[in-house]
Amino acid sequence: MSSLDLAAIRAAHERIRPFIKRTPVLTGERLDTATGAALFLKCENFQEAGAFKSRGACNAVFSLTDAEAATGVVTHSSGNHAAALARAAQLRGITAHIVMPVGAARSKVRNVGHYGGWITFCEPNLTAREEACARVSRQTGATIVHPFDDLRVAAGQGTAALELLEDAADLDVILCPVGGGGLLCGTAVAAKALYPKIQIIGVEPELANDVQQSFRAGRRIAIPTPATIADGLRTNCTGEKNFPLIQQYVDDIVTVTEAGIVAAMRAVWEALHMVIEPSAAVPYAALMEQKIPVAGRRIGLLVTGGNADLDQLPWLNPEVEPGLRMG
């Protein structure tokens, strides 16, 4: 795929519809009262394999020709894309090779194994991941499906925004977590085509602010491997294919603190009794930390996944500072 537009995202939606869930859009009085806005949470934590990544992985795998698919697929991922690609490959009856960093969340490693992925571990940095992925591809002939810098993947991710805007029309803003940028550019392309005046704002941790730096500088900027709790957003640099789309369609990138991510996870649990992973909490953290004006606005939040380990659920830890509590 050489370009990304609404037609490509709609085609992806038709292609993957048999293999994904149409996840719910939830609202909550407590969250609305706390922020002064009307919030609509697109809950991809209920998606197959536990995250939105099933959309992009299925679109990429089922876009392959039979000849391409015959030798399998390979990717590198800290977890959610890994499990999603393993699942998509299992559905098509082909092999998935998954390169994962040492120290990846245990729940995500188990998820990959559940779907039959063949795991190769590597050092937890982008260079090691990409080198291991390329090596496996050479050895096996497997097609590389990049976790975010692949427009087939981005088209699949954009289908979540299509569903959100069907279920919650006339939104003023969509807040979207951003790591490598596949979800953000797919969301922005879909939403701006349907509602040109809608604001699309990417949210990332302060400790992983490569996209914000790149967005403001007008060029891709790489950073050292981030140490944020939001493991799904520990990217060093936004995707080469994604960045021009982010520049064209995204209105702003804001960042949130680690304490804000912790507080947002707990606030969502207390309000909706729903476990979300740290990466999925960054949009609500942006509201809690007042990073954008919200009063009286209709705001969509992409809740990207729910694959958290117990040690990532801070409300279970009695040593967490009570002052982080909201409400």
Side-chain angles (χ1 to χ4, degrees):
M1 180 183 291
S2 60
S3 63
L4 182 64
D5 56 19
L6 181 61
I9 295 170
R10 289 197 185 281
H13 205 203
E14 288 304 309
R15 184 177 296 115
I16 69 178
R17 198 184 299 272
F19 312 112
I20 64 166
K21 290 180 180 177
R22 186 181 179 102
T23 53
V25 175
L26 299 185
T27 60
E29 291 181 0
R30 182 169 177 172
L31 299 181
D32 289 357
T33 300
T35 59
L39 305 185
F40 301 86
L41 284 69
K42 177 62 171 169
C43 294
E44 288 292 288
N45 50 306
F46 297 128
Q47 187 55 261
E48 299 293 354
F52 77 99
K53 294 283 192 177
S54 284
R55 297 174 180 271
C58 282
N59 191 51
V61 167
F62 285 93
S63 295
L64 297 175
T65 66
D66 288 343
E68 290 170 328
T71 51
V73 289
V74 60
T75 195
H76 62 84
S77 168
S78 63
N80 284 341
H81 176 70
L85 191 69
R87 175 180 175 271
Q90 186 180 72
L91 289 169
R92 188 155 181 185
I94 62 177
T95 301
H97 302 276
I98 310 296
V99 174
M100 300 187 76
V102 172
R106 295 184 301 275
S107 60
K108 296 182 180 183
V109 174
R110 289 193 296 269
N111 224 5
V112 173
H114 172 75
Y115 293 115
W118 291 84
I119 300 174
T120 299
F121 288 101
C122 70
E123 291 301 308
N125 63 72
L126 183 61
T127 299
R129 287 165 54 152
E130 290 182 340
E131 288 178 350
C133 189
R135 183 175 65 254
V136 172
S137 179
R138 290 193 302 270
Q139 292 171 344
T140 65
T143 298
I144 296 175
V145 179
H146 197 278
F148 53 82
D149 201 20
D150 183 320
L151 295 183
R152 299 167 302 180
V153 170
Q157 318 303 33
T159 64
L162 289 184
E163 294 177 4
L164 170 62
L165 291 166
E166 288 173 0
D167 292 346
D170 300 322
L171 295 178
D172 298 304
V173 184
I174 295 179
L175 295 177
C176 177
V178 54
L183 177 65
L184 181 59
C185 71
T187 296
V189 168
K192 291 284 189 176
L194 295 169
Y195 295 94
K197 294 183 179 180
I198 195 171
Q199 281 192 300
I200 306 299
I201 298 177
V203 189
E204 62 184 348
E206 287 182 354
L207 297 181
N209 69 339
D210 58 295
V211 184
Q212 185 187 65
Q213 290 187 47
S214 301
F215 188 76
R216 293 179 177 176
R219 59 184 175 83
R220 294 168 66 232
I221 293 176
I223 63 173
T225 301
T228 174
I229 187 177
D231 57 302
L233 305 181
R234 290 176 188 158
T235 51
N236 302 74
C237 187
T238 188
E240 183 177 357
K241 298 181 179 70
N242 299 336
F243 187 58
L245 294 167
I246 292 171
Q247 288 181 297
Q248 182 177 355
Y249 293 105
V250 173
D251 294 283
D252 199 8
I253 308 290
V254 300
T255 62
V256 295
T257 66
E258 296 298 290
I261 296 170
V262 169
M265 292 172 70
R266 184 161 47 206
V268 171
W269 165 253
E270 291 175 343
L272 298 178
H273 305 292
M274 184 170 73
V275 173
I276 62 174
E277 62 187 71
S279 301
V282 297
Y284 191 66
L287 300 182
M288 293 178 68
E289 295 189 336
Q290 300 180 338
K291 294 302 176 72
I292 66 167
V294 298
R297 305 177 85 186
R298 292 169 59 83
I299 300 177
L301 289 77
L302 289 169
V303 179
T304 48
N307 294 318
D309 282 342
L310 288 179
D311 57 8
Q312 291 179 307
L313 306 182
W315 57 86
L316 295 179
N317 183 353
E319 296 180 359
V320 170
E321 180 61 43
L324 294 175
R325 185 167 184 152
M326 183 176 182

mmCIF file with all atom_site columns, all heavy atoms in Angstrom, residues 71-75 97 99 127-144:
data_model
loop_
_atom_site.group_PDB
_atom_site.id
_atom_site.type_symbol
_atom_site.label_atom_id
_atom_site.label_alt_id
_atom_site.label_comp_id
_atom_site.label_asym_id
_atom_site.label_entity_id
_atom_site.label_seq_id
_atom_site.pdbx_PDB_ins_code
_atom_site.Cartn_x
_atom_site.Cartn_y
_atom_site.Cartn_z
_atom_site.occupancy
_atom_site.B_iso_or_equiv
_atom_site.pdbx_formal_charge
_atom_site.auth_seq_id
_atom_site.auth_comp_id
_atom_site.auth_asym_id
_atom_site.auth_atom_id
_atom_site.pdbx_PDB_model_num
ATOM 1   N N   . THR A 1 71  ? 5.237  -18.215 3.430  1.00 0.00 ? 71  THR A N   1
ATOM 2   C CA  . THR A 1 71  ? 6.458  -18.274 4.237  1.00 0.00 ? 71  THR A CA  1
ATOM 3   C C   . THR A 1 71  ? 6.281  -17.623 5.606  1.00 0.00 ? 71  THR A C   1
ATOM 4   O O   . THR A 1 71  ? 7.247  -17.494 6.369  1.00 0.00 ? 71  THR A O   1
ATOM 5   C CB  . THR A 1 71  ? 7.626  -17.588 3.497  1.00 0.00 ? 71  THR A CB  1
ATOM 6   O OG1 . THR A 1 71  ? 7.207  -16.282 3.066  1.00 0.00 ? 71  THR A OG1 1
ATOM 7   C CG2 . THR A 1 71  ? 8.041  -18.399 2.286  1.00 0.00 ? 71  THR A CG2 1
ATOM 8   N N   . GLY A 1 72  ? 5.067  -17.219 5.926  1.00 0.00 ? 72  GLY A N   1
ATOM 9   C CA  . GLY A 1 72  ? 4.784  -16.678 7.243  1.00 0.00 ? 72  GLY A CA  1
ATOM 10  C C   . GLY A 1 72  ? 5.081  -15.199 7.366  1.00 0.00 ? 72  GLY A C   1
ATOM 11  O O   . GLY A 1 72  ? 5.423  -14.518 6.388  1.00 0.00 ? 72  GLY A O   1
ATOM 12  N N   . VAL A 1 73  ? 4.954  -14.695 8.589  1.00 0.00 ? 73  VAL A N   1
ATOM 13  C CA  . VAL A 1 73  ? 5.170  -13.280 8.872  1.00 0.00 ? 73  VAL A CA  1
ATOM 14  C C   . VAL A 1 73  ? 6.093  -13.155 10.080 1.00 0.00 ? 73  VAL A C   1
ATOM 15  O O   . VAL A 1 73  ? 6.217  -14.075 10.888 1.00 0.00 ? 73  VAL A O   1
ATOM 16  C CB  . VAL A 1 73  ? 3.842  -12.551 9.154  1.00 0.00 ? 73  VAL A CB  1
ATOM 17  C CG1 . VAL A 1 73  ? 3.019  -12.400 7.884  1.00 0.00 ? 73  VAL A CG1 1
ATOM 18  C CG2 . VAL A 1 73  ? 3.034  -13.254 10.244 1.00 0.00 ? 73  VAL A CG2 1
ATOM 19  N N   . VAL A 1 74  ? 6.723  -11.998 10.195 1.00 0.00 ? 74  VAL A N   1
ATOM 20  C CA  . VAL A 1 74  ? 7.593  -11.729 11.330 1.00 0.00 ? 74  VAL A CA  1
ATOM 21  C C   . VAL A 1 74  ? 7.444  -10.270 11.721 1.00 0.00 ? 74  VAL A C   1
ATOM 22  O O   . VAL A 1 74  ? 7.220  -9.405  10.868 1.00 0.00 ? 74  VAL A O   1
ATOM 23  C CB  . VAL A 1 74  ? 9.075  -12.058 11.010 1.00 0.00 ? 74  VAL A CB  1
ATOM 24  C CG1 . VAL A 1 74  ? 9.592  -11.231 9.831  1.00 0.00 ? 74  VAL A CG1 1
ATOM 25  C CG2 . VAL A 1 74  ? 9.958  -11.839 12.237 1.00 0.00 ? 74  VAL A CG2 1
ATOM 26  N N   . THR A 1 75  ? 7.569  -10.004 13.015 1.00 0.00 ? 75  THR A N   1
ATOM 27  C CA  . THR A 1 75  ? 7.533  -8.633  13.501 1.00 0.00 ? 75  THR A CA  1
ATOM 28  C C   . THR A 1 75  ? 8.372  -8.518  14.757 1.00 0.00 ? 75  THR A C   1
ATOM 29  O O   . THR A 1 75  ? 8.815  -9.517  15.321 1.00 0.00 ? 75  THR A O   1
ATOM 30  C CB  . THR A 1 75  ? 6.088  -8.190  13.803 1.00 0.00 ? 75  THR A CB  1
ATOM 31  O OG1 . THR A 1 75  ? 6.052  -6.761  13.930 1.00 0.00 ? 75  THR A OG1 1
ATOM 32  C CG2 . THR A 1 75  ? 5.551  -8.832  15.083 1.00 0.00 ? 75  THR A CG2 1
ATOM 33  N N   . HIS A 1 97  ? 6.493  -15.356 13.419 1.00 0.00 ? 97  HIS A N   1
ATOM 34  C CA  . HIS A 1 97  ? 7.724  -15.234 14.188 1.00 0.00 ? 97  HIS A CA  1
ATOM 35  C C   . HIS A 1 97  ? 7.702  -13.875 14.885 1.00 0.00 ? 97  HIS A C   1
ATOM 36  O O   . HIS A 1 97  ? 7.480  -12.850 14.237 1.00 0.00 ? 97  HIS A O   1
ATOM 37  C CB  . HIS A 1 97  ? 8.946  -15.330 13.278 1.00 0.00 ? 97  HIS A CB  1
ATOM 38  C CG  . HIS A 1 97  ? 9.023  -16.603 12.499 1.00 0.00 ? 97  HIS A CG  1
ATOM 39  N ND1 . HIS A 1 97  ? 9.567  -17.762 13.015 1.00 0.00 ? 97  HIS A ND1 1
ATOM 40  C CD2 . HIS A 1 97  ? 8.606  -16.903 11.244 1.00 0.00 ? 97  HIS A CD2 1
ATOM 41  C CE1 . HIS A 1 97  ? 9.502  -18.718 12.105 1.00 0.00 ? 97  HIS A CE1 1
ATOM 42  N NE2 . HIS A 1 97  ? 8.921  -18.232 11.022 1.00 0.00 ? 97  HIS A NE2 1
ATOM 43  N N   . VAL A 1 99  ? 9.647  -11.197 17.477 1.00 0.00 ? 99  VAL A N   1
ATOM 44  C CA  . VAL A 1 99  ? 10.807 -10.722 18.232 1.00 0.00 ? 99  VAL A CA  1
ATOM 45  C C   . VAL A 1 99  ? 10.288 -9.820  19.348 1.00 0.00 ? 99  VAL A C   1
ATOM 46  O O   . VAL A 1 99  ? 9.600  -8.834  19.096 1.00 0.00 ? 99  VAL A O   1
ATOM 47  C CB  . VAL A 1 99  ? 11.779 -9.942  17.326 1.00 0.00 ? 99  VAL A CB  1
ATOM 48  C CG1 . VAL A 1 99  ? 12.906 -9.318  18.154 1.00 0.00 ? 99  VAL A CG1 1
ATOM 49  C CG2 . VAL A 1 99  ? 12.341 -10.856 16.236 1.00 0.00 ? 99  VAL A CG2 1
ATOM 50  N N   . THR A 1 127 ? 17.185 -0.824  17.910 1.00 0.00 ? 127 THR A N   1
ATOM 51  C CA  . THR A 1 127 ? 18.190 -1.388  16.999 1.00 0.00 ? 127 THR A CA  1
ATOM 52  C C   . THR A 1 127 ? 18.229 -2.906  17.110 1.00 0.00 ? 127 THR A C   1
ATOM 53  O O   . THR A 1 127 ? 18.225 -3.620  16.086 1.00 0.00 ? 127 THR A O   1
ATOM 54  C CB  . THR A 1 127 ? 19.575 -0.797  17.299 1.00 0.00 ? 127 THR A CB  1
ATOM 55  O OG1 . THR A 1 127 ? 19.534 0.618   17.097 1.00 0.00 ? 127 THR A OG1 1
ATOM 56  C CG2 . THR A 1 127 ? 20.626 -1.403  16.384 1.00 0.00 ? 127 THR A CG2 1
ATOM 57  N N   . ALA A 1 128 ? 18.256 -3.417  18.334 1.00 0.00 ? 128 ALA A N   1
ATOM 58  C CA  . ALA A 1 128 ? 18.296 -4.870  18.531 1.00 0.00 ? 128 ALA A CA  1
ATOM 59  C C   . ALA A 1 128 ? 17.040 -5.531  17.988 1.00 0.00 ? 128 ALA A C   1
ATOM 60  O O   . ALA A 1 128 ? 17.096 -6.610  17.385 1.00 0.00 ? 128 ALA A O   1
ATOM 61  C CB  . ALA A 1 128 ? 18.463 -5.186  20.020 1.00 0.00 ? 128 ALA A CB  1
ATOM 62  N N   . ARG A 1 129 ? 15.893 -4.892  18.205 1.00 0.00 ? 129 ARG A N   1
ATOM 63  C CA  . ARG A 1 129 ? 14.633 -5.448  17.710 1.00 0.00 ? 129 ARG A CA  1
ATOM 64  C C   . ARG A 1 129 ? 14.626 -5.534  16.189 1.00 0.00 ? 129 ARG A C   1
ATOM 65  O O   . ARG A 1 129 ? 14.254 -6.566  15.602 1.00 0.00 ? 129 ARG A O   1
ATOM 66  C CB  . ARG A 1 129 ? 13.463 -4.602  18.220 1.00 0.00 ? 129 ARG A CB  1
ATOM 67  C CG  . ARG A 1 129 ? 13.169 -4.796  19.686 1.00 0.00 ? 129 ARG A CG  1
ATOM 68  C CD  . ARG A 1 129 ? 12.284 -3.722  20.275 1.00 0.00 ? 129 ARG A CD  1
ATOM 69  N NE  . ARG A 1 129 ? 11.020 -3.522  19.562 1.00 0.00 ? 129 ARG A NE  1
ATOM 70  C CZ  . ARG A 1 129 ? 9.914  -3.082  20.150 1.00 0.00 ? 129 ARG A CZ  1
ATOM 71  N NH1 . ARG A 1 129 ? 9.902  -2.806  21.445 1.00 0.00 ? 129 ARG A NH1 1
ATOM 72  N NH2 . ARG A 1 129 ? 8.813  -2.911  19.455 1.00 0.00 ? 129 ARG A NH2 1
ATOM 73  N N   . GLU A 1 130 ? 15.030 -4.451  15.534 1.00 0.00 ? 130 GLU A N   1
ATOM 74  C CA  . GLU A 1 130 ? 14.997 -4.428  14.072 1.00 0.00 ? 130 GLU A CA  1
ATOM 75  C C   . GLU A 1 130 ? 16.010 -5.393  13.473 1.00 0.00 ? 130 GLU A C   1
ATOM 76  O O   . GLU A 1 130 ? 15.716 -6.059  12.471 1.00 0.00 ? 130 GLU A O   1
ATOM 77  C CB  . GLU A 1 130 ? 15.237 -2.996  13.578 1.00 0.00 ? 130 GLU A CB  1
ATOM 78  C CG  . GLU A 1 130 ? 14.069 -2.059  13.871 1.00 0.00 ? 130 GLU A CG  1
ATOM 79  C CD  . GLU A 1 130 ? 14.288 -0.660  13.342 1.00 0.00 ? 130 GLU A CD  1
ATOM 80  O OE1 . GLU A 1 130 ? 15.460 -0.290  13.090 1.00 0.00 ? 130 GLU A OE1 1
ATOM 81  O OE2 . GLU A 1 130 ? 13.285 0.068   13.196 1.00 0.00 ? 130 GLU A OE2 1
ATOM 82  N N   . GLU A 1 131 ? 17.186 -5.491  14.097 1.00 0.00 ? 131 GLU A N   1
ATOM 83  C CA  . GLU A 1 131 ? 18.202 -6.429  13.583 1.00 0.00 ? 131 GLU A CA  1
ATOM 84  C C   . GLU A 1 131 ? 17.735 -7.874  13.724 1.00 0.00 ? 131 GLU A C   1
ATOM 85  O O   . GLU A 1 131 ? 17.904 -8.681  12.796 1.00 0.00 ? 131 GLU A O   1
ATOM 86  C CB  . GLU A 1 131 ? 19.519 -6.215  14.332 1.00 0.00 ? 131 GLU A CB  1
ATOM 87  C CG  . GLU A 1 131 ? 20.217 -4.923  13.956 1.00 0.00 ? 131 GLU A CG  1
ATOM 88  C CD  . GLU A 1 131 ? 21.493 -4.698  14.746 1.00 0.00 ? 131 GLU A CD  1
ATOM 89  O OE1 . GLU A 1 131 ? 21.733 -5.458  15.720 1.00 0.00 ? 131 GLU A OE1 1
ATOM 90  O OE2 . GLU A 1 131 ? 22.257 -3.774  14.401 1.00 0.00 ? 131 GLU A OE2 1
ATOM 91  N N   . ALA A 1 132 ? 17.130 -8.202  14.866 1.00 0.00 ? 132 ALA A N   1
ATOM 92  C CA  . ALA A 1 132 ? 16.643 -9.575  15.063 1.00 0.00 ? 132 ALA A CA  1
ATOM 93  C C   . ALA A 1 132 ? 15.508 -9.889  14.107 1.00 0.00 ? 132 ALA A C   1
ATOM 94  O O   . ALA A 1 132 ? 15.429 -10.998 13.554 1.00 0.00 ? 132 ALA A O   1
ATOM 95  C CB  . ALA A 1 132 ? 16.190 -9.756  16.511 1.00 0.00 ? 132 ALA A CB  1
ATOM 96  N N   . CYS A 1 133 ? 14.647 -8.928  13.889 1.00 0.00 ? 133 CYS A N   1
ATOM 97  C CA  . CYS A 1 133 ? 13.516 -9.127  12.973 1.00 0.00 ? 133 CYS A CA  1
ATOM 98  C C   . CYS A 1 133 ? 14.023 -9.364  11.548 1.00 0.00 ? 133 CYS A C   1
ATOM 99  O O   . CYS A 1 133 ? 13.557 -10.286 10.858 1.00 0.00 ? 133 CYS A O   1
ATOM 100 C CB  . CYS A 1 133 ? 12.607 -7.900  13.030 1.00 0.00 ? 133 CYS A CB  1
ATOM 101 S SG  . CYS A 1 133 ? 11.052 -8.077  12.152 1.00 0.00 ? 133 CYS A SG  1
ATOM 102 N N   . ALA A 1 134 ? 14.988 -8.568  11.113 1.00 0.00 ? 134 ALA A N   1
ATOM 103 C CA  . ALA A 1 134 ? 15.544 -8.734  9.768  1.00 0.00 ? 134 ALA A CA  1
ATOM 104 C C   . ALA A 1 134 ? 16.245 -10.081 9.631  1.00 0.00 ? 134 ALA A C   1
ATOM 105 O O   . ALA A 1 134 ? 16.151 -10.739 8.585  1.00 0.00 ? 134 ALA A O   1
ATOM 106 C CB  . ALA A 1 134 ? 16.516 -7.594  9.468  1.00 0.00 ? 134 ALA A CB  1
ATOM 107 N N   . ARG A 1 135 ? 16.939 -10.511 10.686 1.00 0.00 ? 135 ARG A N   1
ATOM 108 C CA  . ARG A 1 135 ? 17.636 -11.796 10.651 1.00 0.00 ? 135 ARG A CA  1
ATOM 109 C C   . ARG A 1 135 ? 16.643 -12.951 10.508 1.00 0.00 ? 135 ARG A C   1
ATOM 110 O O   . ARG A 1 135 ? 16.845 -13.870 9.694  1.00 0.00 ? 135 ARG A O   1
ATOM 111 C CB  . ARG A 1 135 ? 18.478 -11.969 11.911 1.00 0.00 ? 135 ARG A CB  1
ATOM 112 C CG  . ARG A 1 135 ? 19.293 -13.257 11.927 1.00 0.00 ? 135 ARG A CG  1
ATOM 113 C CD  . ARG A 1 135 ? 20.201 -13.343 13.133 1.00 0.00 ? 135 ARG A CD  1
ATOM 114 N NE  . ARG A 1 135 ? 19.449 -13.424 14.406 1.00 0.00 ? 135 ARG A NE  1
ATOM 115 C CZ  . ARG A 1 135 ? 19.339 -12.426 15.271 1.00 0.00 ? 135 ARG A CZ  1
ATOM 116 N NH1 . ARG A 1 135 ? 19.918 -11.255 15.041 1.00 0.00 ? 135 ARG A NH1 1
ATOM 117 N NH2 . ARG A 1 135 ? 18.654 -12.580 16.395 1.00 0.00 ? 135 ARG A NH2 1
ATOM 118 N N   . VAL A 1 136 ? 15.568 -12.919 11.285 1.00 0.00 ? 136 VAL A N   1
ATOM 119 C CA  . VAL A 1 136 ? 14.558 -13.976 11.198 1.00 0.00 ? 136 VAL A CA  1
ATOM 120 C C   . VAL A 1 136 ? 13.922 -13.992 9.812  1.00 0.00 ? 136 VAL A C   1
ATOM 121 O O   . VAL A 1 136 ? 13.662 -15.051 9.230  1.00 0.00 ? 136 VAL A O   1
ATOM 122 C CB  . VAL A 1 136 ? 13.490 -13.798 12.293 1.00 0.00 ? 136 VAL A CB  1
ATOM 123 C CG1 . VAL A 1 136 ? 12.329 -14.767 12.085 1.00 0.00 ? 136 VAL A CG1 1
ATOM 124 C CG2 . VAL A 1 136 ? 14.100 -13.998 13.675 1.00 0.00 ? 136 VAL A CG2 1
ATOM 125 N N   . SER A 1 137 ? 13.688 -12.803 9.261  1.00 0.00 ? 137 SER A N   1
ATOM 126 C CA  . SER A 1 137 ? 13.100 -12.726 7.922  1.00 0.00 ? 137 SER A CA  1
ATOM 127 C C   . SER A 1 137 ? 14.014 -13.359 6.879  1.00 0.00 ? 137 SER A C   1
ATOM 128 O O   . SER A 1 137 ? 13.558 -14.107 6.006  1.00 0.00 ? 137 SER A O   1
ATOM 129 C CB  . SER A 1 137 ? 12.817 -11.259 7.558  1.00 0.00 ? 137 SER A CB  1
ATOM 130 O OG  . SER A 1 137 ? 12.280 -11.160 6.265  1.00 0.00 ? 137 SER A OG  1
ATOM 131 N N   . ARG A 1 138 ? 15.320 -13.073 6.983  1.00 0.00 ? 138 ARG A N   1
ATOM 132 C CA  . ARG A 1 138 ? 16.278 -13.679 6.036  1.00 0.00 ? 138 ARG A CA  1
ATOM 133 C C   . ARG A 1 138 ? 16.313 -15.191 6.184  1.00 0.00 ? 138 ARG A C   1
ATOM 134 O O   . ARG A 1 138 ? 16.373 -15.933 5.191  1.00 0.00 ? 138 ARG A O   1
ATOM 135 C CB  . ARG A 1 138 ? 17.678 -13.101 6.261  1.00 0.00 ? 138 ARG A CB  1
ATOM 136 C CG  . ARG A 1 138 ? 17.859 -11.654 5.847  1.00 0.00 ? 138 ARG A CG  1
ATOM 137 C CD  . ARG A 1 138 ? 19.339 -11.282 5.817  1.00 0.00 ? 138 ARG A CD  1
ATOM 138 N NE  . ARG A 1 138 ? 19.991 -11.481 7.115  1.00 0.00 ? 138 ARG A NE  1
ATOM 139 C CZ  . ARG A 1 138 ? 20.078 -10.561 8.059  1.00 0.00 ? 138 ARG A CZ  1
ATOM 140 N NH1 . ARG A 1 138 ? 19.525 -9.367  7.871  1.00 0.00 ? 138 ARG A NH1 1
ATOM 141 N NH2 . ARG A 1 138 ? 20.714 -10.821 9.199  1.00 0.00 ? 138 ARG A NH2 1
ATOM 142 N N   . GLN A 1 139 ? 16.273 -15.682 7.406  1.00 0.00 ? 139 GLN A N   1
ATOM 143 C CA  . GLN A 1 139 ? 16.400 -17.116 7.662  1.00 0.00 ? 139 GLN A CA  1
ATOM 144 C C   . GLN A 1 139 ? 15.160 -17.897 7.254  1.00 0.00 ? 139 GLN A C   1
ATOM 145 O O   . GLN A 1 139 ? 15.253 -19.060 6.853  1.00 0.00 ? 139 GLN A O   1
ATOM 146 C CB  . GLN A 1 139 ? 16.687 -17.346 9.148  1.00 0.00 ? 139 GLN A CB  1
ATOM 147 C CG  . GLN A 1 139 ? 18.059 -16.855 9.596  1.00 0.00 ? 139 GLN A CG  1
ATOM 148 C CD  . GLN A 1 139 ? 18.238 -16.895 11.102 1.00 0.00 ? 139 GLN A CD  1
ATOM 149 O OE1 . GLN A 1 139 ? 17.259 -17.012 11.857 1.00 0.00 ? 139 GLN A OE1 1
ATOM 150 N NE2 . GLN A 1 139 ? 19.485 -16.781 11.574 1.00 0.00 ? 139 GLN A NE2 1
ATOM 151 N N   . THR A 1 140 ? 13.995 -17.291 7.364  1.00 0.00 ? 140 THR A N   1
ATOM 152 C CA  . THR A 1 140 ? 12.736 -18.012 7.148  1.00 0.00 ? 140 THR A CA  1
ATOM 153 C C   . THR A 1 140 ? 11.991 -17.604 5.890  1.00 0.00 ? 140 THR A C   1
ATOM 154 O O   . THR A 1 140 ? 11.088 -18.318 5.440  1.00 0.00 ? 140 THR A O   1
ATOM 155 C CB  . THR A 1 140 ? 11.796 -17.789 8.341  1.00 0.00 ? 140 THR A CB  1
ATOM 156 O OG1 . THR A 1 140 ? 11.433 -16.400 8.410  1.00 0.00 ? 140 THR A OG1 1
ATOM 157 C CG2 . THR A 1 140 ? 12.448 -18.217 9.653  1.00 0.00 ? 140 THR A CG2 1
ATOM 158 N N   . GLY A 1 141 ? 12.330 -16.441 5.343  1.00 0.00 ? 141 GLY A N   1
ATOM 159 C CA  . GLY A 1 141 ? 11.572 -15.917 4.214  1.00 0.00 ? 141 GLY A CA  1
ATOM 160 C C   . GLY A 1 141 ? 10.282 -15.235 4.632  1.00 0.00 ? 141 GLY A C   1
ATOM 161 O O   . GLY A 1 141 ? 9.472  -14.847 3.770  1.00 0.00 ? 141 GLY A O   1
ATOM 162 N N   . ALA A 1 142 ? 10.057 -15.089 5.938  1.00 0.00 ? 142 ALA A N   1
ATOM 163 C CA  . ALA A 1 142 ? 8.818  -14.487 6.430  1.00 0.00 ? 142 ALA A CA  1
ATOM 164 C C   . ALA A 1 142 ? 8.725  -13.017 6.033  1.00 0.00 ? 142 ALA A C   1
ATOM 165 O O   . ALA A 1 142 ? 9.721  -12.289 6.000  1.00 0.00 ? 142 ALA A O   1
ATOM 166 C CB  . ALA A 1 142 ? 8.734  -14.626 7.943  1.00 0.00 ? 142 ALA A CB  1
ATOM 167 N N   . THR A 1 143 ? 7.520  -12.582 5.740  1.00 0.00 ? 143 THR A N   1
ATOM 168 C CA  . THR A 1 143 ? 7.247  -11.181 5.401  1.00 0.00 ? 143 THR A CA  1
ATOM 169 C C   . THR A 1 143 ? 7.227  -10.338 6.671  1.00 0.00 ? 143 THR A C   1
ATOM 170 O O   . THR A 1 143 ? 6.539  -10.671 7.638  1.00 0.00 ? 143 THR A O   1
ATOM 171 C CB  . THR A 1 143 ? 5.886  -11.055 4.690  1.00 0.00 ? 143 THR A CB  1
ATOM 172 O OG1 . THR A 1 143 ? 5.925  -11.794 3.462  1.00 0.00 ? 143 THR A OG1 1
ATOM 173 C CG2 . THR A 1 143 ? 5.558  -9.604  4.387  1.00 0.00 ? 143 THR A CG2 1
ATOM 174 N N   . ILE A 1 144 ? 7.969  -9.252  6.661  1.00 0.00 ? 144 ILE A N   1
ATOM 175 C CA  . ILE A 1 144 ? 7.979  -8.359  7.823  1.00 0.00 ? 144 ILE A CA  1
ATOM 176 C C   . ILE A 1 144 ? 6.696  -7.532  7.844  1.00 0.00 ? 144 ILE A C   1
ATOM 177 O O   . ILE A 1 144 ? 6.329  -6.898  6.849  1.00 0.00 ? 144 ILE A O   1
ATOM 178 C CB  . ILE A 1 144 ? 9.203  -7.431  7.799  1.00 0.00 ? 144 ILE A CB  1
ATOM 179 C CG1 . ILE A 1 144 ? 10.497 -8.250  7.930  1.00 0.00 ? 144 ILE A CG1 1
ATOM 180 C CG2 . ILE A 1 144 ? 9.113  -6.389  8.906  1.00 0.00 ? 144 ILE A CG2 1
ATOM 181 C CD1 . ILE A 1 144 ? 11.771 -7.420  7.804  1.00 0.00 ? 144 ILE A CD1 1
#
